Amino acid sequence: MRSLVLFSFVLLFASACISNKRIVYLQNLPGDEPIELDEFIPFAEYDKNYILQPFDVVDIDFASADEELTKAFEFQGSRNMRMGGMGMMGAGDMFFMTGYVIDVDGYVNLPRLGKIKISGLTEEQARIKVEEAIREYFKDDVYVRLRIGGIRFTALGEFNNSGTKVMLKHRATIFDAIALAGESNILAKKNKLFLIRQYDGGSKIHQINLNDRALLASPYYFIQNNDILYLEPMNIRQFGRADNLAASLGLIISVTSSIILIFALVGRNL
């Protein structure tokens, strides 16, 4: 019986311990060409120009020598709301209230100009298209600034602060997103981060290994608008949280004590 109890204790202890190799970011993994410290890592080829999609929120602003002319293209008070909204509300709420949502058919509805289709275009292409539409109606020069209202993504699974997030950046890395989502806890499978990315007409699921230093040269190192990040839990999750050593030891002692008590009761009855 002692041997069985000792074996059970060792088995539980082994299952509760998590190797550093499973939780440390950016390692030189076996089979990969090592990337040394201070070594230059060029970015992978990827589409740097985001393609606008239905339901994206875009911020469109106008500039002209004639202030009254630019006001004709804005919803009432939207410019003032943009200027003062940063300190009054969350960044995502600000752009949702003052930006323009691309509808399901790919159009934005602008004051005076009506509906203009901009989905399937880059930000610069969409800006030029809106600017050309304005100049068809007015002789004075009106300049347009069009940009995505921040990078919106969703973090699910083993994050400490999961949910939909917004970063006010034109470019953000996967680690920017992880930091904003509260980083992953110790029970996350860092070698299995699933990235669900939206493409023209559908989605694709990509698997990312956060333990691998080669990620820095991956086309998925930079996240895009509407990305979904999902981190799987380790199998140890079924035994309890085990977020720290005290929790792990408490779990081991509790289960081991139960096993000893059961064998003691069975031994008395034999």
Side-chain angles (χ1 to χ4, degrees):
M1 185 180 72
R2 290 181 179 178
S3 298
L4 183 58
V5 171
L6 180 61
F7 175 76
S8 300
F9 181 84
V10 172
L11 183 63
L12 284 169
F13 185 79
S15 66
C17 294
I18 301 173
S19 170
N20 278 345
K21 292 182 179 180
R22 303 181 68 180
I23 61 177
V24 175
Y25 293 118
L26 301 178
Q27 305 171 56
N28 277 318
L29 298 182
D32 290 348
E33 185 176 346
I35 299 175
E36 304 301 332
L37 295 178
D38 300 321
E39 180 178 338
F40 181 76
I41 306 170
F43 294 136
E45 290 295 327
Y46 73 103
D47 190 358
K48 300 179 178 63
N49 294 315
Y50 176 73
I51 302 300
L52 298 174
Q53 303 174 26
F55 308 111
D56 279 346
V57 178
V58 292
D59 180 39
I60 304 177
D61 202 5
F62 308 92
S64 172
D66 186 346
E67 185 69 19
E68 295 300 318
L69 181 61
T70 58
K71 288 182 180 179
F73 300 112
E74 294 186 339
F75 286 111
Q76 188 173 5
S78 62
R79 176 176 294 185
N80 292 334
M81 191 179 297
R82 277 196 299 272
M83 294 175 62
M86 291 291 284
M88 298 174 58
M89 61 181 70
D93 292 335
M94 179 189 72
F95 281 109
F96 182 80
M97 296 298 295
T98 65
Y100 298 86
V101 179
I102 303 176
D103 67 21
V104 67
D105 297 315
Y107 290 85
V108 288
N109 193 2
L110 299 177
R112 297 284 183 105
L113 299 177
K115 289 190 172 184
I116 300 176
K117 187 169 185 177
I118 62 172
S119 70
L121 305 177
T122 65
E123 289 177 296
E124 178 62 15
Q125 290 170 339
R127 184 196 69 78
I128 293 173
K129 189 170 184 178
V130 173
E131 197 169 86
E132 289 174 348
I134 289 178
R135 291 180 177 177
E136 289 183 5
Y137 292 92
F138 298 93
K139 295 180 180 180
D140 294 333
D141 286 337
V142 179
Y143 299 95
V144 175
R145 183 180 66 182
L146 185 150
R147 57 187 177 180
I148 288 287
I151 298 175
R152 287 166 168 77
F153 70 96
T154 301
L156 303 172
E158 295 298 310
F159 290 100
N160 289 322
N161 185 22
S162 59
T164 300
K165 312 293 179 183
V166 181
M167 290 187 288
L168 296 183
K169 293 183 175 183
H170 278 94
R171 188 175 75 170
T173 71
I174 192 74
F175 292 106
D176 290 326
I178 291 171
L180 188 60
E183 203 190 11
S184 57
N185 63 45
I186 199 172
L187 296 181
K189 288 184 178 179
K190 291 185 172 62
N191 63 329
K192 286 189 177 181
L193 170 63
F194 292 102
L195 186 152
I196 304 171
R197 177 157 291 176
Q198 311 301 315
Y199 294 91
D200 188 18
S203 304
K204 290 183 181 179
I205 300 176
H206 307 285
Q207 184 174 321
I208 295 172
N209 187 349
L210 298 174
N211 301 135
D212 193 353
R213 191 171 292 187
L215 170 62
L216 300 178
S218 164
Y220 310 114
Y221 179 57
F222 295 100
I223 68 166
Q224 294 185 3
N225 204 36
N226 300 318
D227 278 353
I228 300 173
L229 308 178
Y230 172 66
L231 264 177
E232 279 191 358
M234 292 183 184
N235 293 334
I236 194 175
R237 167 66 81 186
Q238 61 188 311
F239 295 107
R241 286 186 56 83
D243 286 332
N244 51 54
L245 181 60
S248 300
L249 291 177
L251 175 64
I252 293 169
I253 293 170
S254 176
V255 174
T256 304
S257 300
S258 299
I259 292 174
I260 294 173
L261 178 60
I262 291 171
F263 276 101
L265 293 175
V266 171
R268 286 182 180 180
N269 295 329
L270 294 178

